[in-house]
Amino acid sequence: MMSAMVDPWERGNEIKTCPNSFEKFRSSKSKQDRARFSSCPVEGGVVQVGMKAVSVSRVLAGLIAALTPQQVALQNVMPADQLWTGTVDNIWAATLAGDLAEVAVLQAPQYNMDVSIGIAEMWNDTFIPTQLYFNSVPYYLIEKRSWQITNAEILGGIDGLLLGRNAMRMKNQMPELRLSQFLDMYFLATRSGEGFLPCSRLTAFSNGIRDIKEILIEQTKNFAFLLTTVATTYFTDSEIITERCVKIVEKFLRYFHEEFHVEKCPSQDSVVPRLNLIMVIDATWPFYTLLKFFVSLTNRADVNYYGSSVTAVKGDSTDVIVNSTSSPVTLYQQLLFYGQHGEDVTGLILQKSLLSVRNIIERDNKNEKALKYPRRAKQDIVVILGHSSTINDKDFEISEDILSILKKENPASRFIYLTSYTNAQRFRRLVAVPRSHLDTIITTENSQIEVVLPKLLNSLHSERILKPAYCQNNYHHWPESMYEEYITPGETISYWIHPDYLCGSLEIVKITFKNYDHGELHVCMSRDKKEQGDCKHVEASEDVTHALLRPCQKVGAPTWQWDQGCRPVYFTVSVTRSYNKCTGYECRYPDQVRFSIVVQDLHCINLNYAVCSGVGHIISPSYMFVVSILISIMVFSNR
């Protein structure tokens, strides 16, 4: 990651990786060099940000230099044979000025000032970028290793310079700011702020630094003087170096404005979901396409320790491909292991998949009950990837029974069925199952990731569910459920309580928001998702309680609508002021505000005791046992 290494040697795969430049490059080689240099060398130490490559070493160098800013006088470090004026700024030297000084000292003398500024690059794969290739580079530049400043290094230098200039200000505002948090805030675009996004780097660089040309010439020239004392070079005359640096900076600025264009920053969604995703996979995609899909989903759905988690299930069996994980690395490793050792998915047997989903959710609920510390609120979303699968009537009949039980046990779970226009009608039976108000069918004309992924991501936005802990024995009410939450300024976190947890609850249900000493909050409650409802300001170290008197009085409604007498409850939380005191491991950023949600006396879902039909009634445990056995028999008899 810290390396700025370039591997120039021929790998043998150039005819596939860079076919456009391969033949032209080979024809320009001499016979003795024909098997030596690659037509598209590999550049290391880079990461993909958006669709562009950024040199991480330049970013980190700028940040490190900014933490100990220095202005080094040339007179103190140059030979004493003449009088030197000017200083070297260590932030500029570690970023753009340092690279341009290398061009002036190492490259310019060889080409009589016909220097190379910027080298275009291309990723081997836009979805899973693992190697960055030089794109259409002349043979003589590679032969003489004239890659002192590539496009990735230009962007890395700009990012390092901008982040370096912001580092001390951010450090003063947030004394406990960690490097990982700082990079997360910038590169993952999880934070909004003035000029603090990669998409706004070019504007910030061009307009945010006064007299940029004069500063860049001065710093490039001064660092080039210093570089001549340690590098082998043809010229050491200060006037020649100064003239050379002026021309190189002018060429760099022309290249910068021609090659890099101002981007429009995407609109930031202030509503932050946290999901427990369960993906059921059919045979639509080959393994590598599936891998690309999951890598893209991981980036877009904020899969990490602080955000969402993912589980993947084979559509033709009850086998789990990816055990529940919040780590993108673990997800990738498990998928690779499946690709090397697992059997290909042959189709979609929905009844088996739903049984596996039911077992996963039940296991997760039991694990949450066993936690000795407060949990974090998430929303269970099951995605059925059934684009190319046809499901017979027998499978649908059994699947409807399993889904009905699953929905009774977990009424707030959402299902998303991704299918083709041809198969969509088959799935409409499933979204008619009771408690499927929020379930969705997504249809696409083809199965290309570029078509499927945006539609799926748009459907994933969801409030976080507040629910009672997993039922024990014959409990019908759960006295208290507690959630530990953190919110970032500028975000709005939404929560909801499903009516089934209210129906059969006690006379009064209390939801308390306990604020700690990290800042101040704004909390709203409503029974209508479109309305803001009852809002309260919560000072630091204070609590606010919303009490629901007789929260559920059913009047009767179609299964696809919320009963007007027993609607969900919605909450929104936002920050009005942060004290920048969030220092624990659970804090994603130092300015997050910590709070807890305590929900008291919700109805505890237990299939032995059904409610929400006006009056609760007992269901025989033996009946549920027989139903489960019958489902299992039907499933495995269809193998």
Side-chain angles (χ1 to χ4, degrees):
M1 190 66 75
M2 289 293 293
S3 169
M5 174 273 298
V6 172
D7 180 7
W9 306 113
E10 194 166 71
R11 301 176 301 277
N13 65 349
E14 281 77 4
I15 189 65
K16 295 181 179 180
T17 56
C18 46
N20 294 334
S21 58
F22 178 69
E23 291 299 331
K24 181 180 178 181
F25 186 85
R26 285 182 65 86
S27 65
S28 66
K29 291 184 179 183
S30 60
K31 291 183 179 180
Q32 60 268 27
D33 287 335
R34 188 154 293 174
R36 292 181 57 201
F37 294 109
S38 171
S39 57
C40 49
V42 176
E43 183 175 357
V46 292
V47 296
Q48 186 187 48
V49 179
M51 297 303 293
K52 295 182 172 60
V54 174
S55 174
V56 180
S57 61
R58 301 304 189 271
V59 177
L60 296 180
L63 278 172
I64 293 169
L67 295 178
T68 54
Q70 293 179 318
Q71 295 283 340
V72 180
L74 286 176
Q75 190 64 35
N76 295 335
V77 292
M78 294 295 290
D81 56 350
Q82 70 179 84
L83 180 64
W84 297 94
T85 60
T87 60
V88 175
D89 184 305
N90 66 332
I91 300 177
W92 282 96
T95 54
L96 286 178
D99 285 327
L100 293 174
E102 286 186 353
V103 173
V105 174
L106 304 177
Q107 192 182 136
Q110 301 183 62
Y111 303 116
N112 193 26
M113 283 306 297
D114 186 20
V115 296
S116 173
I117 299 291
I119 291 179
E121 301 127 334
M122 61 181 180
W123 288 106
N124 64 322
D125 190 302
T126 55
F127 285 96
I128 309 178
T130 56
Q131 289 189 314
L132 185 69
Y133 303 128
F134 284 1
N135 188 18
S136 300
V137 180
Y139 172 70
Y140 71 89
L141 289 179
I142 296 176
E143 182 184 33
K144 295 187 177 182
R145 293 170 172 76
S146 299
W147 47 70
Q148 279 76 23
I149 184 165
T150 65
N151 283 8
E153 289 173 337
I154 291 174
L155 292 182
I158 292 173
D159 285 344
L161 184 64
L162 295 176
L163 291 180
R165 290 167 63 89
N166 278 280
M168 291 309 296
R169 177 181 61 84
M170 297 289 288
K171 189 70 175 174
N172 291 333
Q173 292 177 357
M174 309 175 191
E176 302 296 329
L177 183 66
R178 300 190 293 266
L179 175 62
S180 60
Q181 294 173 325
F182 194 62
L183 296 177
D184 185 339
M185 292 164 70
Y186 181 73
F187 285 112
L188 296 186
T190 53
R191 299 293 303 273
S192 59
E194 185 178 351
F196 206 71
L197 288 173
C199 55
S200 62
R201 64 161 71 91
L202 302 184
T203 301
F205 176 68
S206 299
N207 303 331
I209 304 176
R210 296 181 59 185
D211 304 322
I212 188 169
K213 179 179 178 180
E214 290 74 14
I215 294 174
L216 195 51
I217 289 174
E218 180 71 14
Q219 290 300 315
T220 301
K221 175 193 68 174
N222 291 346
F223 192 70
F225 291 155
L226 187 58
L227 192 59
T228 58
T229 64
V230 295
T232 302
T233 182
Y234 296 102
F235 302 106
T236 58
D237 183 85
S238 60
E239 292 186 3
I240 295 177
I241 293 175
T242 299
E243 181 184 356
R244 191 185 301 163
C245 288
V246 170
K247 293 180 179 179
I248 288 172
V249 169
E250 290 175 344
K251 185 171 184 177
F252 163 75
L253 292 175
R254 287 196 302 272
Y255 180 83
F256 169 77
H257 290 296
E258 292 170 1
E259 184 70 19
F260 301 101
H261 305 287
V262 174
E263 304 173 54
K264 182 180 180 181
C265 291
S267 58
Q268 295 289 305
D269 191 349
S270 63
V271 179
V272 182
R274 186 190 292 133
L275 310 174
N276 179 27
L277 282 172
I278 303 175
M279 313 291 294
V280 177
I281 302 160
D282 74 347
T284 299
W285 294 318
F287 171 72
Y288 188 70
T289 305
L290 188 67
L291 191 64
K292 293 194 291 186
F293 173 82
F294 270 96
V295 169
S296 299
L297 182 68
T298 298
N299 295 333
R300 307 281 188 86
D302 197 31
V303 175
N304 57 64
Y305 174 79
Y306 303 101
S308 303
S309 61
V310 176
T311 305
V313 179
K314 288 185 68 175
D316 57 356
S317 70
T318 58
D319 295 343
V320 175
I321 297 173
V322 176
N323 289 308
S324 180
T325 180
S326 297
S327 167
V329 174
T330 302
L331 172 65
Y332 189 71
Q333 289 173 339
Q334 291 190 52
L335 285 171
L336 286 181
F337 182 84
Y338 162 70
Q340 295 168 358
H341 305 284
E343 296 181 358
D344 292 338
V345 182
T346 57
L348 179 63
I349 305 176
L350 191 57
Q351 52 191 289
K352 293 184 178 181
S353 302
L354 291 178
L355 275 182
S356 184
V357 168
R358 184 189 177 203
N359 292 335
I360 290 168
I361 294 178
E362 183 177 4
R363 180 201 64 203
D364 291 345
N365 288 338
K366 287 182 177 179
N367 289 340
E368 282 190 350
K369 178 178 72 71
L371 291 177
K372 296 182 179 179
Y373 49 86
R375 50 191 167 155
R376 287 194 167 187
K378 290 187 177 182
Q379 171 66 48
D380 291 329
I381 295 186
V382 181
V383 180
I384 308 292
L385 299 174
H387 194 278
S388 63
S389 300
T390 55
I391 303 172
N392 60 47
D393 290 334
K394 185 76 170 180
D395 191 4
F396 260 111
E397 290 173 6
I398 301 173
S399 298
E400 283 178 306
D401 290 334
I402 299 172
L403 187 60
S404 295
I405 292 179
L406 196 155
K407 287 284 189 178
K408 289 177 183 177
E409 295 171 327
N410 304 278
S413 59
R414 280 188 58 205
F415 279 70
I416 298 175
Y417 305 95
L418 198 151
T419 184
S420 62
Y421 290 112
T422 304
N423 294 329
Q425 191 61 37
R426 306 286 290 169
F427 286 94
R428 299 196 190 284
R429 291 170 54 180
L430 298 180
V431 297
V433 170
R435 300 175 180 82
S436 299
H437 303 69
L438 303 179
D439 293 355
T440 306
I441 297 175
I442 299 175
T443 55
T444 58
E445 56 195 22
N446 60 60
S447 60
Q448 293 179 357
I449 293 180
E450 296 85 353
V451 176
V452 170
L453 195 60
K455 286 193 172 185
L456 176 59
L457 292 171
N458 288 336
S459 300
L460 291 182
H461 288 277
S462 182
E463 295 83 10
R464 304 176 188 181
I465 184 67
L466 302 177
K467 60 183 180 180
Y470 186 75
C471 283
Q472 294 186 42
N473 303 323
N474 290 319
Y475 290 174
H476 306 321
H477 305 95
W478 193 254
E480 183 174 285
S481 296
M482 185 173 181
Y483 297 87
E484 187 84 3
E485 298 290 280
Y486 294 79
I487 182 171
T488 305
E491 292 179 349
T492 299
I493 301 181
S494 300
Y495 303 90
W496 75 303
I497 300 176
H498 193 279
D500 277 21
Y501 299 126
L502 301 172
C503 191
S505 62
L506 295 186
E507 188 78 1
I508 297 179
V509 172
K510 295 181 179 179
I511 302 94
T512 301
F513 290 80
K514 295 178 174 289
N515 194 10
Y516 294 91
D517 61 348
H518 293 33
E520 301 169 16
L521 299 173
H522 184 71
V523 179
C524 297
M525 183 194 75
S526 174
R527 300 301 292 267
D528 188 334
K529 189 176 180 179
K530 297 179 181 179
E531 295 179 0
Q532 195 174 43
D534 179 22
C535 297
K536 298 180 180 180
H537 182 74
V538 190
E539 296 284 349
S541 302
E542 290 188 356
D543 303 344
V544 63
T545 298
H546 290 274
L548 296 171
L549 179 64
R550 293 187 294 275
C552 186
Q553 302 178 67
K554 293 183 73 66
V555 296
T559 57
W560 62 88
Q561 295 179 0
W562 297 120
D563 192 302
Q564 291 303 303
C566 190
R567 290 179 294 173
V569 183
Y570 300 97
F571 300 91
T572 58
V573 181
S574 57
V575 177
T576 57
R577 185 180 179 186
S578 170
Y579 298 159
N580 298 316
K581 294 177 63 175
C582 205
T583 59
Y585 183 72
E586 298 295 322
C587 301
R588 187 167 186 173
Y589 308 116
D591 60 347
Q592 284 193 315
V593 176
R594 177 190 173 203
F595 64 98
S596 296
I597 306 174
V598 180
V599 186
Q600 295 175 289
D601 297 319
L602 288 179
H603 167 63
C604 182
I605 300 297
N606 189 322
L607 287 187
N608 298 336
Y609 187 83
V611 293
C612 275
S613 57
V615 180
H617 62 278
I618 302 295
I619 296 180
S620 167
S622 59
Y623 170 77
M624 291 308 307
F625 176 76
V626 170
V627 170
S628 299
I629 292 296
L630 287 175
I631 288 175
S632 298
I633 292 174
M634 286 186 289
V635 167
F636 291 106
S637 66
N638 284 295
R639 281 185 165 181

